[in-house]
Amino acid sequence: FFSFRQEGTFMETITNTICEELGALLDPHWLEVQGNFAPRGGISLLCTSVFEKKGADRDVATHMPQGGSDDTL
């Protein structure tokens, strides 16, 4: 288990790292990771990172929900 709680880096970098590691581990055609950060101080941030397998058909992900962050899979 690894925690990013004490990681001294930007939240976008953390979201990209998680997406890249899951993409390498799971080998999906398409993957989207959303990091919904609510740090102390009241400033929240929603970061999105997308992984696409090289040569994969982009239509594979048409079943994914569209819209705001309230959509669930």
Side-chain angles (χ1 to χ4, degrees), residues 25-39:
L25 178 68
L26 301 174
D27 193 32
H29 291 281
W30 185 87
L31 171 72
E32 179 178 294
V33 173
Q34 288 188 346
N36 191 358
F37 298 93

Side-chain angles (χ1 to χ4, degrees), residues 30-73:
W30 185 87
L31 171 72
E32 179 178 294
V33 173
Q34 288 188 346
N36 191 358
F37 298 93
R40 294 178 190 161
I43 300 173
S44 63
L45 180 66
L46 177 65
C47 303
T48 303
S49 182
V50 176
F51 172 90
E52 290 186 41
K53 185 184 280 189
K54 292 181 182 175
D57 186 3
R58 289 180 173 253
D59 290 334
V60 170
T62 57
H63 70 282
M64 297 299 293
Q66 302 295 316
S69 61
D70 293 336
D71 292 336
T72 57
L73 299 177

Side-chain angles (χ1 to χ4, degrees), residues 5-17:
R5 187 174 198 66
Q6 300 299 327
E7 190 73 18
T9 189
F10 292 106
M11 293 173 234
E12 296 90 341
T13 304
I14 293 170
T15 305
N16 287 336
T17 299

